Amino acid sequence: MKPYEQLNTPCFIFDEDELLGNIRAFRNSFEACWGQGGVIVGYSVKTTPIAGLISCAVNAGCYAEVVSDDEFALSLEAGCPVKDIVFNGPIKTKQWLDFAFDQGCIVNIDSKRELAWTIDYAKSHGSAPRVGLRINFDLEAAAPGQSMAEAEGVRFGFCFEDGSLAEAIAQLRAAGIEPAGLHAHFSTKDHLPETFAVIAQSVCEIKESFALNALDYVDMGGGYYGGGLRRSMYDDYARAITEQLVKAFDPDKVTLVVEPGGSVLCTPGFYLGRVIDTKTVRDKTFVVTELSKLNLNSTAFARRGFSYELLINEDRKILDNQILCGYTCIEMDRLCDLTQEPELQAGDLVLIRNAGAYTASFTPQFFIQAPPGVYLQKTDGTFEELVSHYHPVVPNLEGI
Ligand SMILES: Cc1ncc(COP(=O)(O)O)c(C=O)c1O
């Protein structure tokens, strides 16, 4: 049993070894298929926006991929060199966009106002900023059943089919700016390597259609699966993508950027909490814990199957069924059914696995319960508290 007894619960725990192992494997897979142009692995900050984890990733050679001014600031605070920021998303402000251009960050624009500000920047500085364009094409038509946006269509980027991309490129060129990069992040349902091949094919088609001959990077975004015992999947993505890209790009000249989130952050994360109480209602046993389904994020992001481990090191009666429940007053805050497991008691520790992606970033303050704290379990086995949220409330009648 790992020495979790010393930790304030509930909490998230990130295993540094596992995170670094995933990052290294991810980079190795892509580097093995690409050339001297190099591979940049951008840690997707939104997936787990915790300074201590961003620092780990940066120390392991990652860039920080950010989609807001706040994430940009957090990444700098975490020690990411400013030139190692990949600035994405449609909600950048002009101040941070200008700052990113000044600092030579990788900037992928994603909205009309950013296009206008990019052109303003070139005019006011008398020189063209280095800028990439996020692309949008009909992924559902090209890979039926795979786009998260389904037939309604993807909402990010400049659209190829409706002429918006052509218009954006024309406006940039008229201002003396030649695009330096293409950004192709798409959310897909099954995270299939074949879908990434389709996306890479479209990147090539777009490059050729607009004679984008000054591109120095292609950014294939995130959306991969794998990690932990399934690290070999990284190879499948790397092969699928690069086999297409080499048809239009020189791997010795062009940099390949990738932005893994869940695929590297899911397996290093654990969610730990204690049993508060147990009760039997008719023939069902309900186990109330400090955990909650809410802190495991039930949006479309939460794609990984969670699994649990009961940290009990004594003999107990085995029960056919116990229903593991959260602390909230939401009726269906039930995490899972425990079948043929030792009978849980107040104080027992329950560990949820695969809880590292889009969980700590989504914790609500629901039920006036502070979000769980966050620990890093370092390679030497010790724990570092990265986020402390454990503030037990004690009764205080003074002044009432
Ligand atoms: C632009 C961008 N890059 C990377 C990611 C990371 O995605 P994932 O966690 O699916 O790898 C996201 C997630 O939404 C994103 O929007």
Side-chain angles (χ1 to χ4, degrees):
M1 189 198 297
K2 295 198 176 170
Y4 292 143
E5 295 290 340
Q6 57 184 296
L7 306 180
N8 287 328
T9 56
C11 63
F12 287 104
I13 304 161
F14 284 85
D15 181 328
E16 187 175 23
D17 267 346
E18 172 80 1
L19 176 61
L20 297 180
N22 281 351
I23 289 173
R24 267 186 231 113
F26 199 91
R27 177 180 298 106
N28 290 344
S29 295
F30 280 82
E31 281 181 349
C33 301
W34 203 241
Q36 298 298 314
V39 172
I40 290 173
V41 178
Y43 170 100
S44 164
V45 171
K46 79 191 77 56
T47 306
T48 313
I50 293 168
L53 297 178
I54 301 170
S55 303
C56 277
V58 165
N59 292 336
C62 287
Y63 280 40
E65 185 267 328
V66 304
V67 287
S68 69
D69 302 349
D70 299 294
E71 286 189 357
F72 199 140
L74 179 71
S75 302
L76 295 182
E77 216 176 282
C80 182
V82 64
K83 64 166 191 36
D84 293 353
I85 299 276
V86 181
F87 200 14
N88 288 333
I91 60 155
K92 309 168 187 82
T93 60
K94 183 167 179 3
Q95 287 86 340
W96 281 88
L97 183 68
D98 284 355
F99 176 66
F101 284 147
D102 287 344
Q103 300 298 322
C105 304
I106 294 179
V107 180
N108 295 310
I109 58 171
D110 193 353
S111 58
K112 279 199 296 196
R113 69 178 194 166
E114 291 174 357
L115 179 64
W117 290 338
T118 303
I119 291 164
D120 286 351
Y121 183 98
K123 284 189 185 143
S124 60
H125 288 70
S127 64
R130 179 171 180 249
V131 71
L133 286 162
R134 180 155 174 182
I135 59 163
N136 175 318
F137 69 93
D138 190 349
L139 177 61
E140 194 56 17
Q146 288 307 313
S147 174
M148 203 61 135
E150 300 183 345
E152 195 164 292
V154 172
R155 68 188 177 94
F156 297 103
F158 295 92
C159 178
F160 183 39
E161 292 88 359
D162 76 3
S164 314
L165 182 61
E167 175 60 25
I169 294 170
Q171 284 190 30
L172 289 176
R173 283 178 170 161
I177 307 164
E178 187 59 28
L182 292 179
H183 180 212
H185 173 83
F186 290 83
S187 298
T188 65
K189 285 193 174 158
D190 298 318
H191 316 280
L192 302 173
E194 301 89 284
T195 313
F196 281 87
V198 166
I199 297 169
Q201 245 171 354
S202 290
V203 170
C204 295
E205 192 186 331
I206 286 169
K207 180 204 178 237
E208 303 297 351
S209 303
F210 298 105
L212 294 168
N213 297 323
L215 295 177
D216 60 45
Y217 69 90
V218 175
D219 184 340
M220 290 298 297
Y224 315 97
Y225 209 67
L229 296 174
R230 287 185 272 183
R231 281 184 191 151
S232 65
M233 289 184 76
Y234 299 158
D235 288 337
D236 302 337
Y237 293 118
R239 263 195 305 269
I241 288 171
T242 55
E243 272 171 17
Q244 297 304 321
L245 290 185
V246 293
K247 295 178 184 167
F249 296 90
D250 182 348
D252 288 329
K253 298 221 171 84
V254 171
T255 303
L256 176 56
V257 182
V258 276
E259 304 167 347
S263 55
V264 295
L265 275 154
C266 192
T267 62
F270 301 84
Y271 181 32
L272 180 75
R274 290 188 184 275
V275 173
I276 294 173
D277 195 16
T278 64
K279 82 196 288 194
T280 303
V281 181
R282 283 175 280 276
D283 60 342
K284 300 269 187 279
T285 304
F286 293 95
V287 179
V288 181
T289 70
E290 300 172 316
L291 302 164
S292 174
K293 220 170 163 175
L294 292 189
N295 288 333
L296 286 171
N297 169 25
S298 56
T299 71
F301 273 124
R303 58 177 184 254
R304 172 78 68 148
F306 301 109
S307 64
Y308 63 84
E309 193 180 327
L310 311 180
L311 304 180
I312 300 171
N313 56 358
E314 61 186 25
D315 284 344
R316 297 262 179 90
K317 191 165 92 182
I318 300 296
L319 295 189
D320 280 347
N321 189 263
Q322 301 171 87
I323 303 167
L324 195 71
C325 300
Y327 65 81
T328 71
C329 57
I330 296 174
E331 183 64 79
M332 293 318 291
D333 188 3
R334 303 176 188 203
L335 287 98
C336 61
D337 280 357
L338 307 176
T339 310
Q340 287 288 318
E341 292 284 9
E343 179 175 24
L344 284 163
Q345 296 171 0
D348 287 340
L349 281 171
V350 177
L351 186 71
I352 308 284
R353 298 180 171 281
N354 294 329
Y358 305 104
T359 48
S361 47
F362 274 80
T363 51
Q365 299 260 359
F366 182 72
F367 218 59
I368 326 181
Q369 170 97 1
V374 179
Y375 291 93
L376 179 67
Q377 183 165 24
K378 304 214 281 196
T379 47
D380 64 6
T382 60
F383 291 92
E384 184 187 340
E385 196 171 49
L386 299 181
V387 179
S388 165
H389 281 309
Y390 191 66
H391 304 299
V393 182
V394 291
N396 179 3
L397 293 178
E398 253 174 61
I400 290 181

